[in-house]
Amino acid sequence: MGTRDRLLAPLRRIVSQAPAPQDPTSRALTEVFGPEPLTAAGFAPELLARVPLERLQETVDTLRERHGELRSVRPQRELHQLAFTHGAESVWAATDPDGRLTTLVTGPGALLARDSAGTVPAPSPAGDDVRDRDHVYDADAEPPADLPTPDLAPDLAPDLAPDLAPEAEPTPPPVATRLTRVSATVPALAPTPAATMLRLTVLAYAAATAVELTIPYLTDTATGWVLLLLQTPAFAWYVLRTAPAHGLPPWFRLLPLLPLAAALLAGARALPLFGPGLRWTMPGLPEIALALAVPGLAGWTYRRCLPVRPSPSAHPLVLDSPLRGGRFTLTEGGGPAVNRYAQESLLPGGGRSHRYAVDLVQLGAGEQWRGRRALGLAPASNERYAIHGHPVLSPCDGVVVAAVDGLPDHGPFESGARHPEGNHIAIDTGRALVVLSWLRQDSIRVRRGQHLTSGTLIAAVGNSGDGTEPALHLRAETRASRPSPGTGAGLPFRLAELRGDLLRGRRFNVPD
């Protein structure tokens, strides 16, 4: 092809409306997610041996129903971006020499699969609480008979996702190992008592806001209206700080401001603008009591929201965020008023090591999530939480002193009291012990004694501890002579990406 032809080739493609040439993986994804039914010719035999074609069709149909028709497929940072009518999906995929799919990973697991490609973790050393159990799907060999059933994929809804643990020991001769896993449709579950309590709490705050909306219209003096107007901002701050706002869409943050608007509208009755107005006389006892009680409650709560004051020698650590590539919020953090760990640590026999612990969750992006941390207030499936399966990076430099894996992930709002830490990793920085807990089963990629640098991929977020939903539990504690999680006292720390104290409800963005 001559120089003129090469320069005119893009223009000719546009004029002829011919699609640009695609790589084999893009062509395979276009066929799989296109309107035509799936055929066995698009998948490698080793993948079909493990996953029936009907199940693949069901999974693809679910994604089509969620996002609409496929518009385009384009490579993006070693991944493939699928653009649909009403959204997009990141995909980690691979094909064999014949152009047939051997690996397909969607959702948050795609990023983890990309970062973990080509790495081989060492086996868990003797002495760990639970031994590692690697799930290996070999393209050239039959799977072992004792291979456990794959758990649910780390995506937003039933999709294809990978096993997060690669082959533990390479076997000669070398073979191309392809990892794949398919999730099952999650049945509807009855709400647990914890989920019911969350719903009741939200309703209680909504009811309190409704009462606050009507109070300004009940006063019969202009002085009482002024007092009610002055206490409204304190009420709004109290609701925003103490309500479980992480479980609600972003517009909920505007709900406590409605009483302020209602009080201003009530001024039409208090001031002689649209009528005779109200008398400027001594307000009634209810107005005076409310004007004193609400700011007093807000002030008392503000003091209890601040982290427990540490000893003068305990300088806060500065850690890098273990979660990257998204918008995140704290569901626990701060003082006893907004952090159950701080409250429990002040009780007799409470765990001091968790005093400054925090829980981190992700706020999903896109038209489907709209800034919510889950698809619903209290969904019964881990896959409906944006944080589930998100890659976890080391927040500091140090040596791994504990790496426990193999504990199963339980459902949201189910009890994990038997193993409060769940799957976890403890990193000794030389000054403190940094613990990351509630990790996903079989996702830990480090071993005890391994030296880490900040930003190293170490695991994925799960729900294996005593949390009520998928989240990353992070804390720092003092380092004993033989470092072990739970043996030290809690240390205050901060995240480099977030200024100020780690308080519940604070939100922050972290780029890739």
Side-chain angles (χ1 to χ4, degrees):
M1 180 182 293
T3 302
R4 186 181 64 178
D5 293 334
R6 285 197 300 268
L7 294 175
L8 294 178
L11 181 60
R12 289 171 178 170
R13 282 199 299 267
I14 295 175
V15 173
S16 63
Q17 297 183 352
Q22 294 181 315
D23 62 276
T25 304
S26 296
R27 287 197 297 268
L29 292 174
T30 302
E31 294 178 1
V32 168
F33 291 95
E36 299 298 328
L38 299 185
T39 61
F43 301 93
E46 58 270 19
L47 176 58
L48 294 177
R50 296 212 40 89
V51 184
L53 184 63
E54 294 77 10
R55 195 171 180 189
L56 290 169
Q57 182 70 63
E58 180 182 352
T59 305
V60 171
D61 289 342
T62 302
L63 198 147
R64 289 175 183 162
E65 292 175 0
R66 187 196 314 168
H67 294 305
E69 297 181 359
L70 181 68
R71 295 301 186 188
S72 63
V73 179
R74 60 185 180 90
Q76 185 183 51
R77 295 184 181 180
E78 300 179 3
L79 299 175
H80 284 79
Q81 187 79 6
L82 305 184
F84 295 88
T85 306
H86 305 295
E89 285 282 341
S90 295
V91 172
W92 168 263
T95 55
D96 60 12
D98 296 327
R100 298 174 298 185
L101 282 176
T102 58
T103 305
L104 185 61
V105 184
T106 67
L111 178 62
L112 182 60
R114 181 198 66 181
D115 295 339
S116 62
T119 61
V120 178
S124 177
D128 281 4
D129 294 342
V130 182
R131 71 177 180 90
D132 291 333
R133 294 197 294 268
D134 294 339
H135 298 174
V136 179
Y137 301 153
D138 196 330
D140 299 329
E142 290 296 329
D146 59 348
L147 186 67
T149 302
D151 55 358
L152 296 176
D155 197 3
L156 319 181
D159 284 319
L160 301 180
D163 192 312
L164 303 180
E167 188 175 3
E169 297 181 5
T171 58
V175 295
T177 300
R178 301 297 185 185
L179 308 181
T180 184
R181 175 176 291 177
V182 175
S183 68
T185 302
V186 181
L189 302 177
T192 62
T196 302
M197 181 58 66
L198 176 60
R199 294 188 177 97
L200 292 177
T201 302
V202 172
L203 290 177
Y205 278 100
T209 303
V211 172
E212 185 75 7
L213 289 172
T214 61
I215 285 178
Y217 292 92
L218 301 180
T219 181
D220 57 356
T221 65
T223 313
W225 167 73
V226 172
L227 291 178
L228 294 177
L229 179 62
L230 293 178
Q231 62 84 29
T232 304
F235 172 81
W237 179 91
Y238 177 82
V239 172
L240 288 175
R241 177 58 66 196
T242 61
H246 64 276
L248 298 167
W251 56 262
F252 175 81
R253 300 171 67 87
L254 301 177
L255 185 62
L257 302 181
L258 291 180
L260 179 61
L264 292 175
L265 292 176
R269 294 178 57 249
L271 301 178
L273 298 177
F274 303 99
L278 300 178
R279 305 182 310 275
W280 291 90
T281 58
M282 185 67 180
L285 184 60
E287 291 91 337
I288 297 177
L290 196 62
L292 295 177
V294 173
L297 177 63
W300 180 75
T301 303
Y302 173 78
R303 292 180 58 88
R304 287 177 53 82
C305 286
L306 299 177
V308 179
R309 182 174 299 178
S311 61
S313 60
H315 300 290
L317 297 173
V318 178
L319 304 176
D320 294 329
S321 174
L323 302 173
R324 309 194 70 84
R327 183 168 177 80
F328 307 95
T329 186
L330 291 94
T331 58
E332 297 287 347
V338 289
N339 190 349
R340 66 183 178 98
Y341 307 113
Q343 183 180 14
E344 293 171 357
S345 69
L346 299 177
L347 300 176
R352 296 188 306 156
S353 62
H354 290 73
R355 176 165 295 177
Y356 302 99
V358 299
D359 292 346
L360 298 169
V361 302
Q362 183 180 9
L363 301 176
E367 183 179 355
Q368 181 186 25
W369 292 95
R370 299 178 181 176
R372 296 176 295 173
R373 106 289 185 206
L375 298 177
L377 177 59
S381 170
N382 288 329
E383 287 67 38
R384 298 183 67 82
Y385 292 82
I387 190 66
H388 183 65
H390 195 88
V392 179
L393 309 180
S394 174
C396 57
D397 299 340
V399 180
V400 178
V401 297
V404 177
D405 200 352
L407 294 172
D409 293 282
H410 57 78
F413 301 98
E414 295 180 3
S415 175
R418 292 183 57 187
H419 303 284
E421 294 284 358
N423 303 312
H424 63 276
I425 297 173
I427 305 173
D428 184 5
T429 67
R431 175 192 165 193
L433 199 64
V434 178
V435 184
L436 303 98
S437 304
W438 306 356
L439 304 175
R440 188 167 181 250
Q441 182 183 16
D442 300 321
S443 71
I444 293 181
R445 311 187 60 80
V446 298
R447 67 183 185 278
R448 191 169 58 185
Q450 181 175 343
H451 290 260
L452 299 178
T453 58
S454 180
T456 303
L457 177 67
I458 58 177
V461 178
N463 192 19
S464 58
D466 64 349
T468 57
E469 63 183 56
L472 178 63
H473 180 75
L474 175 65
R475 73 175 189 274
E477 56 185 78
T478 55
R479 179 182 178 276
S481 57
R482 296 187 62 183
S484 179
T487 59
L491 283 177
F493 65 93
R494 293 181 178 179
L495 296 180
E497 294 79 4
L498 181 61
R499 292 185 178 182
D501 295 325
L502 301 178
L503 300 179
R504 186 174 78 178
R506 294 200 62 184
R507 306 181 178 198
F508 58 101
N509 293 307
V510 183
D512 289 331

